Amino acid sequence: MEKTRAWLSLCLALASISMLTASCGSDEAVGDRGGQGGSGGDAGDPGMIIRGGAGAGGTGGSGGATGGTGGTGGGKAANWLGQACATDADCGDASAFCLPPSSGVPQGLCTAECITDDDCPSNAFCLVSAEVGYGFCLERCISGSTLITDKCHGRSDMACVSLARPTGSACTRNSDCASGEVCDTEDRVCVDPFDACWPTCGGDFHCADGMKCDFESGLCVPEDDLPEGEPIGAECDPNADPDPCSGMCLTFIDENSDPLVSTCTAPCTFGYLEGCGWDGTGPAPAVCLFPFDPNGGVGDIGICAQLCDCNADCNHSGFVCLPFNDERIEDVLGRRGVCEIASLAGDTPQLEECENGAGGAGNGGEGGAPGAAGAGGEPEPTEEGGAGGAGGAAGEGGAPGGGSEG
């Protein structure tokens, strides 16, 4: 229980840190780290991601958790580190222990206690909670497109994310910090960025009984503690406090840093179909379609995109439904297209009409009412959902309408 409390303390501390990607409560969405190829400055704009342009500048982190002393790790690489587990015995090493699913880590995590990097295997970083004075070893990873096909043990509930450890050195700009560090201009402290595997639950199916997936943090929380929020694809106010989304409110900007739209999304593990609230069965409400970093690869943190069958499905009025035009994708996902920013759709044909007169799959009500008797009878519309399906066959009365659930 003490280790679980320490782990939760670390997560709360990380929630106050502006991670260089979206995870554990942060809505920072930036492009290349440290301002590489970005739009100037020492830090990227919070809660923004560029569409149709270069990556935005990177950002540092706020205080709240401290990093272990830098180093290469104290020993050989450990394959058990980062594995899923239910008990300590599952980790198979005397120095390891299991943070069980009840701790909030989806499907559990094999780790070890540490104060510095030297206390961890060579393939790990030490992230320390200032509140309890010690921390846990987090598995290292290499973000970006690589030949590594089992990044973070190939887990769909873990993702390679960029975290930041405050070093304690004061700064006002990146040039004030040591090589490899960036300046958190809000707290005016240098931070040491590093890539590590971090929990990213994709849905309640990743959680223990009685727990739900909190998309914002990537952790599982008791069912009664799950905060309410708008679904993926909904319109949102990026300045609202608290964040109105079940995940995070993300602002898309153009190559000139002008805002396009703000919409609710959620972190996910890029390259895996399982996630964004979908367990692989039935029509997918959303899918991890984009890596957070344009250069990201399989296993890296990504962002969820709402899927659709027609324009009416898209939760945001500024989005339209663009077709996959690929039967294989449609068969796997159970959807015809993806919601895209209308101003970026260009001349691409939109899915303006739902098939068979079915209503949108957004926040509508019940399915369509039965069609009237007689050939080609006109269906009655639902009160809140889409219109009903096609009319019934002649003489036998109408077949049930094809409207979909909200």
Side-chain angles (χ1 to χ4, degrees), residues 29-400:
V30 298
D32 295 336
R33 186 167 58 197
Q36 299 172 358
S39 51
D42 290 316
D45 295 321
M48 293 187 177
I49 190 167
I50 284 185
R51 292 297 304 274
T59 181
S62 305
T66 61
T69 302
T72 57
K76 297 181 179 179
N79 187 58
W80 53 261
L81 184 70
Q83 290 183 165
C85 59
T87 67
D88 292 349
D90 294 332
C91 300
D93 189 276
S95 64
F97 69 90
C98 176
L99 283 168
S102 60
S103 70
V105 180
Q107 303 189 86
L109 180 72
C110 288
T111 184
E113 290 184 18
C114 61
I115 296 177
T116 72
D117 286 351
D118 289 337
D119 298 327
C120 298
S122 61
N123 59 327
F125 290 98
C126 179
L127 194 62
V128 175
S129 166
E131 182 177 334
V132 298
Y134 68 92
F136 301 97
C137 299
L138 298 180
E139 184 182 6
R140 295 172 182 253
C141 57
I142 301 174
S143 61
S145 181
T146 69
L147 296 178
I148 301 174
T149 58
D150 59 347
K151 193 180 297 185
C152 299
H153 288 271
R155 297 179 58 172
S156 63
D157 56 3
M158 301 286 289
C160 186
V161 306
S162 294
L163 308 176
R165 306 184 290 191
T167 66
S169 299
C171 65
T172 57
R173 60 187 63 194
N174 287 344
S175 58
D176 295 333
C177 301
S179 176
E181 298 176 0
V182 294
C183 181
D184 170 14
T185 54
E186 182 177 347
D187 283 356
R188 298 192 175 187
V189 63
C190 296
V191 295
D192 173 27
F194 64 98
D195 293 341
C197 298
W198 187 259
T200 312
C201 63
D204 297 343
F205 48 85
H206 279 156
C207 300
D209 291 342
M211 303 188 80
K212 296 285 188 179
C213 176
D214 178 13
F215 288 118
E216 182 181 17
S217 67
L219 301 172
C220 299
V221 300
E223 187 171 356
D224 293 340
D225 294 341
L226 182 67
E228 295 183 358
E230 296 296 326
I232 293 170
E235 188 171 359
C236 58
D237 179 359
N239 298 315
D241 187 17
D243 191 313
C245 303
S246 58
M248 62 181 181
C249 184
L250 195 67
T251 297
F252 291 89
I253 58 178
D254 63 19
E255 62 272 18
N256 298 316
S257 297
D258 293 325
L260 295 171
V261 294
S262 296
T263 185
C264 292
T265 184
C268 52
T269 306
F270 181 69
Y272 294 86
L273 291 177
E274 187 180 78
C276 302
W278 188 54
D279 64 0
T281 60
V287 72
C288 196
L289 201 58
F290 308 106
F292 207 83
D293 186 323
N295 298 315
V298 173
D300 289 344
I301 195 75
I303 55 174
C304 298
Q306 186 188 4
L307 301 185
C308 54
D309 292 317
C310 58
N311 287 347
D313 286 348
C314 298
N315 292 325
H316 195 301
S317 60
F319 281 68
V320 293
C321 188
L322 299 186
F324 290 128
N325 290 326
D326 189 315
E327 290 185 358
R328 295 169 300 175
I329 297 176
E330 294 176 19
D331 288 343
V332 170
L333 299 178
R335 294 292 189 186
R336 300 169 62 202
V338 60
C339 295
E340 173 62 287
I341 300 172
S343 61
L344 300 181
D347 296 330
T348 304
Q350 304 173 18
L351 293 172
E352 297 182 3
E353 299 293 335
C354 292
E355 286 187 338
N356 300 323
N363 297 321
E366 300 297 324
E378 290 295 327
E380 296 177 11
T382 59
E383 290 184 5
E384 296 180 53
E396 296 295 330

